[in-house]
Amino acid sequence: MQNVAILGATGSIGVNTLDVISRNPELYYASILVANTNVDKMLELCRIHKPRIAHMVDENAAQLLQTRLPIELDIQVTTGTDVLCQLVADDSVDTVMAAIVGAAGLIPTFSAVKAGKRVLLANKESLVMSGQLFIEAAKQSGATVLPVDSEHNAIFQCLPEKIQNALGSCDLDDSGISHIILTGSGGPFLTRDLSSLSSVTPEEACKHPNWSMGQKISVDSATMMNKGLEYIEARWLFNTRPEQLKVVIHPQSVIHSMVQYRDGSVLAQMGNPDMRTPIAHCLSYPQRIASGVEPLDFFEVGELSFCKPDVNRFPNLALAIAACHQGQEATTVLNAANEIAVAAFLSKQIKFTDIANINQNCVSAVVKSKLDSIEDIVALDAEARARATEALNKYR
């Protein structure tokens, strides 16, 4: 029986993780559930899954949850970032699902890594913001890091065991691998007229054609920033050089990513677009468990198509790839600026096309700085957010 702490329990990944756990109750117990402010959802999850601890990052939310939780459930309510870091590092926790969206997930995820936990990584920002520090901390602590993002999980499944056991420091050349190929659907605007993108509404941007996701990641998918962040994450996870990473548009989202070998072979991981598949794989690796996902029906799949990303349509993808090659400062700033810009778009303060403009504005101002600790990265993140907030005034 593994005790699992779920960071971001009320979000899409958290809810899907709990679904997989509920199908395998003899193997896993969700002992700690973590959320930010969603008291109603947390209350519902507590009643169903009966965790040992319910942690609300927001203090007011924690107080409200405490008053609403039935006393007979005997669930401890905690709050605060410092307390959360202690919880994930506690000896009672075996596995941490790191699924807090955005930069907010960095510090608790890093704490889990430093404590040597089995970390199921769904918070891509941890690597986007602190790739080198993150990988080094995992090596030192002996933490097991398993990628939950469908693309990185697909790549992981297509790699030889030697590389699976050496993420972050693996040698692709030594295993005969020529390219890592990230697939992306292209989101809801793959064929939309370019001149109309400035009039896109948040509701339209959040209607992903294949996946059911939260608002922020849905907008990132529509701009393909999500693929850009995944590109940066893949660089650290698989220790790639720039020429070893490719992005391919695959609208059907059936092939989740691929690995190309020197001998001409290409291994692809396929399946229905359901996050329970990679979640179940990471929970049980190297075994396999029931996920609740229907097997792929090849007679219903139909045509599989591929095309090259258009940088005019997806400037955020090009920006992220360039930032990856530029260095950790650029990727940290880009991530922070994008979170501010997407939030502004979702609240209808700026246009859809302004997201890329704000991101470009902030990344172009990046200067080389000292990033030797998480504190350095958090400080740069705050600086970038202030710059992005200031840049919003040009577009409101």
Side-chain angles (χ1 to χ4, degrees), residues 91-167:
D91 289 343
S92 65
V93 173
D94 303 304
T95 299
V96 176
M97 169 57 79
I100 294 177
V101 175
L106 172 62
I107 292 176
T109 302
F110 200 76
S111 295
V113 168
K114 285 172 67 178
K117 300 299 180 182
R118 183 183 177 97
V119 178
L120 315 187
L121 190 62
N123 171 266
K124 60 177 62 65
E125 289 79 8
S126 293
L127 285 171
V128 169
M129 294 173 66
S130 65
Q132 189 65 55
L133 290 172
F134 189 96
I135 294 300
E136 287 176 0
K139 285 181 195 172
Q140 290 174 10
S141 69
T144 299
V145 178
L146 296 167
V148 174
D149 268 352
S150 60
E151 295 80 4
H152 302 98
N153 183 263
I155 292 162
F156 182 89
Q157 293 194 51
C158 295
L159 292 170
E161 186 179 356
K162 179 181 177 181
I163 290 185
Q164 291 178 340
N165 292 328
L167 289 189

Side-chain angles (χ1 to χ4, degrees), residues 1-9 12-34 45 48-51 93-98 120 275-284 289-293:
M1 174 73 73
Q2 285 187 43
N3 287 318
V4 184
I6 303 178
L7 314 187
S12 175
I13 296 292
V15 170
N16 278 313
T17 301
L18 287 165
D19 182 84
V20 174
I21 286 175
S22 69
R23 296 171 188 275
N24 300 274
E26 73 287 357
L27 298 175
Y28 311 101
Y29 168 51
S31 62
I32 300 174
L33 300 184
V34 179
L45 295 179
I48 296 170
H49 300 283
K50 300 177 176 58
V93 173
D94 303 304
T95 299
V96 176
M97 169 57 79
L120 315 187
M275 284 306 298
R276 290 177 297 174
T277 296
I279 289 167
H281 177 263
C282 288
L283 272 173
S284 63
I289 58 172
S291 67
V293 179

Side-chain angles (χ1 to χ4, degrees), residues 23-335:
R23 296 171 188 275
N24 300 274
E26 73 287 357
L27 298 175
Y28 311 101
Y29 168 51
S31 62
I32 300 174
L33 300 184
V34 179
N36 185 19
T37 60
N38 194 338
V39 174
D40 290 340
K41 187 64 178 179
M42 179 61 94
L43 186 60
E44 176 192 338
L45 295 179
C46 285
R47 285 175 169 148
I48 296 170
H49 300 283
K50 300 177 176 58
R52 182 171 58 86
I53 296 172
H55 183 94
M56 304 299 291
V57 176
D58 181 83
E59 188 176 345
N60 292 329
Q63 291 173 355
L64 181 57
L65 179 65
Q66 183 73 73
T67 62
R68 294 179 61 186
L69 261 180
I71 200 164
E72 62 271 17
L73 287 179
D74 192 27
I75 296 172
Q76 181 184 356
V77 178
T78 58
T79 189
T81 300
D82 290 344
V83 173
L84 175 54
C85 290
Q86 293 167 15
L87 288 176
V88 298
D90 191 82
D91 289 343
S92 65
V93 173
D94 303 304
T95 299
V96 176
M97 169 57 79
I100 294 177
V101 175
L106 172 62
I107 292 176
T109 302
F110 200 76
S111 295
V113 168
K114 285 172 67 178
K117 300 299 180 182
R118 183 183 177 97
V119 178
L120 315 187
L121 190 62
N123 171 266
K124 60 177 62 65
E125 289 79 8
S126 293
L127 285 171
V128 169
M129 294 173 66
S130 65
Q132 189 65 55
L133 290 172
F134 189 96
I135 294 300
E136 287 176 0
K139 285 181 195 172
Q140 290 174 10
S141 69
T144 299
V145 178
L146 296 167
V148 174
D149 268 352
S150 60
E151 295 80 4
H152 302 98
N153 183 263
I155 292 162
F156 182 89
Q157 293 194 51
C158 295
L159 292 170
E161 186 179 356
K162 179 181 177 181
I163 290 185
Q164 291 178 340
N165 292 328
L167 289 189
S169 58
C170 49
D171 186 337
L172 298 183
D173 291 325
D174 187 56
S175 293
I177 294 166
S178 56
H179 294 98
I180 298 291
I181 303 172
L182 286 164
T183 58
S185 70
F189 309 132
L190 181 59
T191 58
R192 181 160 170 157
D193 186 81
L194 285 176
S195 63
S196 71
L197 289 180
S198 61
S199 63
V200 162
T201 66
E203 292 74 22
E204 289 174 315
C206 289
K207 285 184 181 176
H208 194 281
N210 304 325
W211 296 92
S212 175
M213 306 180 291
Q215 284 191 315
K216 197 271 181 180
I217 195 171
S218 294
V219 174
D220 280 349
S221 180
T223 66
M224 280 200 79
M225 174 59 84
N226 197 43
K227 205 56 49 185
L229 297 178
E230 288 168 8
Y231 182 100
I232 298 165
E233 187 180 5
R235 177 261 176 272
W236 291 109
L237 278 173
F238 308 116
N239 194 29
T240 67
R241 299 188 304 275
E243 67 271 16
Q244 292 174 312
L245 266 175
K246 292 181 178 180
V247 176
V248 173
I249 300 288
H250 169 52
Q252 295 82 16
S253 296
V254 170
I255 294 176
H256 300 306
S257 275
M258 298 174 275
V259 176
Q260 192 169 44
Y261 285 81
R262 189 182 298 134
D263 62 5
S265 300
V266 178
L267 300 189
Q269 189 268 339
M270 305 172 70
N272 285 315
D274 191 316
M275 284 306 298
R276 290 177 297 174
T277 296
I279 289 167
H281 177 263
C282 288
L283 272 173
S284 63
Y285 177 81
Q287 308 300 321
R288 299 275 179 169
I289 58 172
S291 67
V293 179
E294 289 296 316
L296 194 63
D297 186 336
F298 287 94
F299 298 109
E300 290 187 3
V301 167
E303 179 183 332
L304 299 181
S305 59
F306 307 89
C307 63
K308 189 175 182 180
D310 177 1
V311 294
N312 294 314
R313 182 176 296 278
F314 302 116
N316 270 313
L317 174 61
L319 190 56
I321 291 172
C324 181
H325 300 161
Q326 190 175 339
Q328 197 74 77
E329 295 88 354
T331 58
T332 299
V333 168
L334 175 63
N335 181 73

